[in-house]
């Protein structure tokens, strides 16, 4: 009996190892597909009632395919300009923060964060620049995974809940609810709002002639990154653009950019959407989210901005559950 058990354990470990080796190279596009499906699932539900589930998934997948191919095409053309512009913007922003007479510890943390972001971004850029076929392959995996997740969303949900052990059902449900809440805040709160602000900022930088296309895209990316920070928002980027225009003697353009940036990017949208994003931008959740974003990005790359906050949110739930159990069992 022991020999049979040992054999099955060895076989199971071997299968898990082979599965991980097979899935790990394409794990990032699968996570991106699941994230995109989660964001667009409300749209899928509305379309499903009108044209059916499969046609809804097929339509959204077609749109995602076109956007993904445009992204790959733009990546190949603009990535070097975006890389250098983003590095310049990040250095300028960090230098501005360091000029605020911060504590020595804060100074060191900012330097480490800036270096970590730059190194990770450069490694991603170099990796995909020299292997565009790999990027295309990952896009294919993402598109097919996205379609499969949308079509089988209800089945996946049932299977996940069926795996919950009866003895720890309450804890498992709390963990699932915590992960879902974190995903809702991060993806449908920060990500949608942040990406929208980034697109607007890129358009403003290009329309006002502050930079070329690569520099405008970099400004949009920086806006999305800065939106991670509590209290600070995308206004930092458009203020820099206004300062540039004024220094160049374009006073009227600078004033107009300030008005548009205030109204469309930050802080007016933050005030209007306070109920949706306040849990992310202020309080304990802000600290957890910030640490999760930065640490997750440095550890896992771009998909880390999803993995990091969710994992820390789950840890927070486990600690709270442990405290409740301890209080109930303590004399």
């Amino acid at each position: 009996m022991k020999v049979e058990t040992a054999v099955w354990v060895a076989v199971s470990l071997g299968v898990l190892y082979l599965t991980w080796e097979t899935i790990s190279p394409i794990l990032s596009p699968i996570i991106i597909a699941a994230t995109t499906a989660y964001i667009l699932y409300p749209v899928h539900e509305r379309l499903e009632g009108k044209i059916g589930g499969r046609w809804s998934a097929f339509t959204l997948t077609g749109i995602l395919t076109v956007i993904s191919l445009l992204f790959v095409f733009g990546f190949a053309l603009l990535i070097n300009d975006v890389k250098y512009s983003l590095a310049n913007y990040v250095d300028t922003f960090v230098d501005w923060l360091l000029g605020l007479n911060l504590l020595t510890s804060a100074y060191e943390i900012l330097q480490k964060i800036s270096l970590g972001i730059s190194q990770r971004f450069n490694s991603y850029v170099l990796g995909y620049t020299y292997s565009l076929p790999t990027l295309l392959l990952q896009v294919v995996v993402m598109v097919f995974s996205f379609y499969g997740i949308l079509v089988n969303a209800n089945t996946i949900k049932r299977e996940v809940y069926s795996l919950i052990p009866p003895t720890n059902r309450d804890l498992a449900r709390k963990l699932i609810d915590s992960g879902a809440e974190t995903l809702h805040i991060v993806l449908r709160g920060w990500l949608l709002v942040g990406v929208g602000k980034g697109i607007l900022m890129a358009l403003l930088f290009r329309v006002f002639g502050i930079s070329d296309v690569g520099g405008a895209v970099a400004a949009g990316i920086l806006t999305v990154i800065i939106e991670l920070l509590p209290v600070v928002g995308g206004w930092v980027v458009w203020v820099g653009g206004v300062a540039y225009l004024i220094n160049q003697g374009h006073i009227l353009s600078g004033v107009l950019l300030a008005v548009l940036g205030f109204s469309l990017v930050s802080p007016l949208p933050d005030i209007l959407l306070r109920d949706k994003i306040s849990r992310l931008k202020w309080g304990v959740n802000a600290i957890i989210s910030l640490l999760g974003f930065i640490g997750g990005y440095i550890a896992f790359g771009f998909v880390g901005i999803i993995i990091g906050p969710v994992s820390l949110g789950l840890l927070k739930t486990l600690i709270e559950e442990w405290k409740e159990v301890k209080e109930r069992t303590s004399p």
Side-chain angles (χ1 to χ4, degrees):
M1 189 67 179
K2 292 183 178 180
V3 175
E4 183 180 353
T5 302
V7 170
W8 277 112
V9 169
V11 171
S12 300
L13 291 176
V15 171
L16 290 174
Y17 172 77
L18 293 175
T19 303
W20 172 252
E21 289 295 317
T22 303
I23 296 297
S24 58
I26 57 174
L27 188 60
S28 292
I30 292 175
I31 293 176
I32 294 173
T35 301
T36 308
Y38 180 83
I39 294 174
L40 296 179
Y41 192 73
V43 179
H44 171 66
E45 286 184 314
R46 293 189 185 96
L47 288 176
E48 187 177 19
K50 298 179 180 179
I51 61 176
R54 290 193 176 275
W55 277 108
S56 172
F58 183 79
T59 301
L60 293 176
T61 303
I63 296 173
L64 179 64
T65 302
V66 173
I67 294 174
S68 300
L69 292 177
L70 290 175
F71 168 78
V72 173
F73 181 73
F75 182 92
L77 292 178
L78 301 174
I79 190 58
N80 286 325
D81 292 339
V82 172
K83 180 182 70 172
Y84 292 122
S85 297
L86 185 60
N88 184 42
Y89 291 154
V90 170
D91 290 340
T92 302
F93 176 66
V94 172
D95 289 341
W96 173 76
L97 285 178
L98 297 178
L100 299 179
N101 295 323
L102 301 173
L103 297 175
T104 304
S105 57
Y107 177 89
E108 293 175 353
I109 291 174
L110 285 173
Q111 281 191 323
K112 290 180 180 179
I113 291 175
S114 175
L115 181 62
I117 291 175
S118 299
Q119 289 177 343
R120 173 63 70 171
F121 186 79
N122 286 334
S123 65
Y124 259 71
V125 169
L126 290 175
Y128 286 123
T129 300
Y130 294 111
S131 185
L132 285 177
T134 299
L135 181 59
L136 285 171
L137 180 61
Q138 292 192 341
V139 167
V140 171
V141 172
M142 181 194 67
V143 168
F144 277 95
S145 299
F146 174 80
Y147 177 81
I149 291 171
L150 281 185
V151 171
N152 301 291
N154 292 327
T155 302
I156 293 172
K157 184 178 180 180
R158 287 196 302 269
E159 289 297 325
V160 169
Y161 277 98
S162 68
L163 294 175
I164 298 176
T167 55
N168 295 313
R169 189 172 297 274
D170 291 338
L171 175 59
R173 288 187 178 275
K174 286 183 179 179
L175 290 174
I176 292 175
D177 292 341
S178 174
E181 182 183 10
T182 304
L183 283 174
H184 183 79
I185 295 173
V186 172
L187 301 182
R188 294 180 184 166
W190 166 79
L191 190 59
L192 283 180
V193 174
V195 170
K197 290 181 178 182
I199 293 173
L200 287 172
M201 186 66 72
L203 291 174
L204 290 174
F205 263 58
R206 189 69 193 103
V207 168
F208 283 92
I210 298 174
S211 62
D212 56 12
V213 176
V217 172
I221 295 174
L222 184 60
T223 300
V224 177
I225 294 173
I226 293 178
E227 282 292 320
L228 303 177
L229 303 176
V231 181
V232 180
W235 60 267
V236 173
V237 181
W238 66 254
V239 165
V242 169
Y244 172 82
L245 289 174
I246 292 177
N247 288 334
Q248 296 296 316
H250 305 298
I251 308 298
L252 183 60
S253 296
V255 173
L256 182 57
L257 176 60
V259 173
L260 292 175
F262 179 90
S263 303
L264 301 178
V265 178
S266 177
L268 185 59
D270 297 334
I271 297 173
L272 297 177
L273 299 173
R274 180 173 296 171
D275 293 338
K276 295 183 179 295
I277 63 176
S278 59
R279 288 178 294 174
L280 178 65
K281 298 287 281 184
W282 290 276
V284 176
N285 281 331
I287 299 175
I288 293 176
S289 300
L290 178 61
L291 294 176
F293 281 130
I294 297 175
Y297 174 79
I298 294 174
F300 302 104
F302 289 110
V303 296
I305 65 175
I306 302 166
I307 298 174
V310 172
S311 61
L312 291 184
L314 294 177
L315 177 61
K316 178 174 173 285
T317 301
L318 286 174
I319 293 174
E320 290 175 350
E321 181 66 17
W322 176 76
K323 288 170 64 178
E324 291 180 4
V325 172
K326 187 176 180 181
E327 290 175 358
R328 290 196 300 265
T329 57
S330 61

